[in-house]
Amino acid sequence: MAFLKYTLLRAALFVVPFVLFLLLGIGGVLSAVYSVVIAFAVSFLFLNRQRNAAATDVSDVFGGRKKVRTSQEEEDAEIEDSLDEARRVDDEYPEVYGDEPGKDGPGRDDADPTRARGPKPPRTGS
């Protein structure tokens, strides 16, 4: 919301002088240039708090500090995390499942039906 407020203030700081300069008979290009300079100067000098709040809002959205996932995305992420954690546990403790780490041997996938099956690596060597 702070970003929208700051953007509207900046737009107003541009539009008001632009219309005023046009009414005074200055050309459109010069009116635009003068209005940009005035809007920049005024916003730089007097809208520091609003600029910082807008920057914080943008940073929150793109920096990941605010929750921007839907409930379905959260549920999918939890399922993916649990599957990843199961695979890591399997790889760390192969003696429990009776095969080597990183290999999908018989019984590993059958023991856990929720486990995702990935493509098997190609055989190399003998």
Side-chain angles (χ1 to χ4, degrees):
M1 190 67 175
F3 179 76
L4 179 63
K5 182 179 175 182
Y6 179 68
T7 302
L8 291 175
L9 281 171
R10 291 279 312 260
L13 286 173
F14 172 79
V15 170
V16 171
F18 182 72
V19 170
L20 181 66
F21 289 137
L22 284 178
L23 292 175
L24 290 175
I26 299 176
V29 173
L30 281 178
S31 294
V33 170
Y34 293 156
S35 297
V36 165
V37 171
I38 290 171
F40 171 76
V42 170
S43 67
F44 185 76
L45 293 174
F46 298 111
L47 300 180
N48 190 33
R49 275 185 289 166
Q50 290 84 355
R51 183 175 51 252
N52 288 339
T56 301
D57 278 358
V58 170
S59 175
D60 287 348
V61 169
F62 291 107
R65 294 193 314 190
K66 281 190 176 179
K67 182 179 178 182
V68 293
R69 290 181 170 178
T70 65
S71 60
Q72 181 63 40
E73 290 173 331
E74 287 289 333
E75 185 179 327
D76 290 346
E78 288 178 21
I79 291 170
E80 182 180 351
D81 290 345
S82 67
L83 292 173
D84 183 52
E85 184 63 28
R87 174 158 315 263
R88 289 174 193 243
V89 168
D90 291 352
D91 288 346
E92 288 179 23
Y93 303 104
E95 62 276 358
V96 174
Y97 297 100
D99 52 335
E100 298 175 26
K103 294 189 177 180
D104 289 335
R108 288 188 74 181
D109 292 331
D110 297 334
D112 186 5
T114 62
R115 183 174 167 155
R117 293 178 188 248
K120 296 191 182 218
R123 292 187 172 189
T124 58
S126 56

